[in-house]
Amino acid sequence: MAVEVVMPKFGLTMTEGTIQQWFKSEGDAIKTGESLFEVETEKVLYEVEASADGTVAKLLYAVEAVVGVGLPVAIIAEAGEEVAEVAARYADAPAAAPAAAPPEPAPVATSAPSPAPQEKRGRVPVTPAARKLAKEHSIDLSGVAGTGPRGRITREDVQKTIDSGGQAAPPPAPTATPAAAEDIPLRGMRKVIAERMHQSLQGSAQLTISTEADVTQLIDRRQEVRQEFNVTYTDFIVQACAHALRQHPRMNAHLEGDIIRANNDIHVGLAVALDEGLIVPVVRDADKKSLKDIAAEAKTLAEKARASQLKLEEVSGGTFTVSNLGMYGVDAFTPIINAPQSGILGVGRIVEKPVIHRGEVTRRSMMVLSLTFDHRVIDGAPAGAFLQTVADLLAHGNRVSLDTR
């Protein structure tokens, strides 16, 4: 009996997925456990495996099609079945038609612009960030060698092509009328971010408080630690937040119906900006890890995020989030809570300024910390106490753990 391969559900919030590539063509033999197609969810890329041995009888969707969870996307004919007969049974399926090609433009008196180079599809995987960068620089992806898993073309591969002169397409010829602005569909990661941010603001009582932390000692501490291993200011902040959450457990809680549920574990999410949106990989049990472990894990998670290689468990289960925009020259901002968490810390840039320190005006390095919290779960005073603990830890060089190995 023919087997329907459906769009799986990865995580409680997933409602649809985008098919990024097919690993098999119609008529190919396939075995249980072999990769059939790759799907992009709101968080990560996944390879979906076949659940039966047989022959791929029908692929119901084209690449880049958005498919709802639970809908069939491919049909596998099992041993002994006539592949043609199985395929014929699905010939009239509404989803069977591939995405329609755009109609040929009518000839005009003025010269038409040369078409932009088309991305090589087939079985060559391309990350969303690489596609966007290639489009911005008119790079023909068919000439780019991928260095990622399965030959995936990454953003770094495209950037190398650009840096080396690349295969830039000739600029389009001028037209009589200006080109229309590009319409960007709200789907995939961008759609989920939009929905969750809106739901977060509507579904909680968010309030932001801020303080200015003196991080002069933290700068010296970082230089000291960097003699042993590479570490960022964000790594120090993640560690400081983890230890502050242990001291202020209400900030590590979340609301479930009419119950404030305390979290025994401390998993700190780290907001990573991508070209197509924002993703929050999680440093698990951050309060139990040395600074060196946090630095190594955060670096790995950020690299995997930019290469679209994160697994679901690496972006799930966070109990608090850190969002650092200091590297973009931002002084302060109002972060939005990553539901169902109850708090998120926004981190601004480090600025040298005159400050009264120990009774004297002196030059100090200052950083603005902005804490958004759910007022239904925690009040302003305990939230302020948590923020002060974080600021104090950073002000003293974040010496919460002398074990840097």
Side-chain angles (χ1 to χ4, degrees):
M1 181 178 179
V3 176
E4 293 185 347
V5 181
V6 302
M7 175 63 69
K9 185 178 180 66
F10 299 114
L12 296 176
T13 61
M14 179 179 171
T15 59
E16 62 186 20
T18 303
I19 296 175
Q20 288 299 324
Q21 63 172 318
W22 291 103
F23 297 118
K24 298 287 185 179
S25 300
E26 292 181 357
D28 288 352
I30 193 167
K31 294 183 178 180
T32 302
E34 278 193 282
S35 296
L36 177 57
F37 69 98
E38 184 180 59
V39 57
E40 179 185 7
T41 73
E42 68 269 23
K43 292 183 176 181
V44 290
L45 288 170
Y46 272 101
E47 290 186 6
V48 179
E49 300 175 348
S51 57
D53 296 344
T55 303
V56 179
K58 193 73 175 177
L59 303 180
L60 299 179
Y61 289 91
V63 169
E64 296 188 350
V66 179
V67 185
V69 167
L71 294 178
V73 297
I75 310 299
I76 297 177
E78 293 185 305
E81 290 186 300
E82 288 292 335
V83 175
E85 292 182 4
V86 173
R89 292 203 298 268
Y90 289 87
D92 296 328
E104 290 293 331
V108 293
T110 58
S111 59
S114 301
Q118 296 298 309
E119 174 186 322
K120 181 181 179 182
R121 301 304 305 178
R123 298 187 183 181
V124 179
V126 184
T127 67
R131 285 198 301 272
K132 184 174 186 296
L133 184 62
K135 183 176 181 180
E136 291 173 351
H137 293 267
S138 299
I139 297 297
D140 184 357
L141 288 175
S142 63
V144 178
T147 60
R150 293 182 177 270
R152 184 193 309 279
I153 298 174
T154 66
R155 191 181 191 281
E156 289 72 21
D157 297 328
V158 177
Q159 187 62 55
K160 288 179 182 178
T161 302
I162 295 170
D163 295 341
S164 63
Q167 296 101 354
T175 59
T177 57
E182 179 185 5
D183 290 332
I184 303 175
L186 185 62
R187 67 183 188 187
M189 180 183 290
R190 186 74 261 158
K191 180 180 180 181
V192 172
I193 291 174
E195 292 174 347
R196 289 188 178 175
M197 293 299 96
H198 189 245
Q199 291 171 359
S200 177
L201 289 171
Q202 283 193 320
S204 61
Q206 298 192 25
L207 176 67
T208 301
I209 57 177
S210 62
T211 189
E212 201 169 22
D214 186 338
V215 294
T216 306
Q217 288 190 38
L218 181 65
I219 294 176
D220 295 335
R221 171 67 170 157
R222 180 175 180 242
Q223 293 300 322
E224 172 190 334
V225 173
R226 288 185 70 181
Q227 301 301 315
E228 301 183 42
F229 59 89
N230 190 33
V231 63
T232 68
Y233 289 115
T234 302
D235 301 328
F236 281 105
I237 295 165
V238 167
Q239 188 185 46
C241 287
H243 285 259
L245 289 169
R246 182 60 65 195
Q247 297 178 46
H248 304 274
R250 180 59 68 89
M251 184 57 69
N252 200 48
H254 65 279
L255 193 64
E256 288 186 9
D258 295 330
I259 299 175
I260 296 176
R261 184 83 61 189
N263 297 305
N264 293 324
D265 299 319
I266 295 176
H267 306 318
V268 180
L270 179 61
V272 176
L274 307 177
D275 289 339
E276 63 273 21
L278 187 72
I279 196 165
V280 186
V282 178
V283 178
R284 310 189 77 81
D285 298 314
D287 60 317
K288 301 175 183 177
K289 293 178 177 176
S290 69
L291 181 62
K292 184 175 183 179
D293 291 337
I294 290 175
E297 187 170 342
K299 181 176 184 292
T300 299
L301 289 171
E303 290 175 347
K304 293 176 72 173
R306 296 185 179 101
S308 300
Q309 295 174 355
L310 287 170
K311 298 179 181 178
L312 183 61
E313 56 268 24
E314 293 173 322
V315 293
S316 302
T319 61
F320 186 84
T321 297
V322 171
S323 180
N324 188 352
L325 293 181
M327 66 284 293
Y328 300 106
V330 175
D331 289 314
F333 62 102
T334 303
I336 298 176
I337 292 173
N338 184 19
Q341 299 170 18
S342 296
I344 179 172
L345 183 71
V347 182
R349 64 174 176 163
I350 298 175
V351 179
E352 284 191 343
K353 59 175 62 176
V355 174
I356 298 178
H357 179 68
R358 296 177 180 175
E360 297 182 356
V361 177
T362 182
R363 185 172 64 183
R364 307 291 290 180
S365 296
M366 308 299 292
M367 171 192 287
V368 175
L369 303 174
S370 303
L371 175 69
T372 299
F373 61 95
D374 189 344
H375 216 316
R376 301 174 304 167
V377 176
I378 185 171
D379 291 328
F386 166 83
L387 183 60
Q388 189 59 56
T389 297
V390 174
D392 287 344
L393 288 170
L394 297 177
H396 290 87
N398 202 49
R399 296 179 183 273
V400 296
S401 173
L402 297 179
D403 179 14
T404 59
R405 292 176 293 175

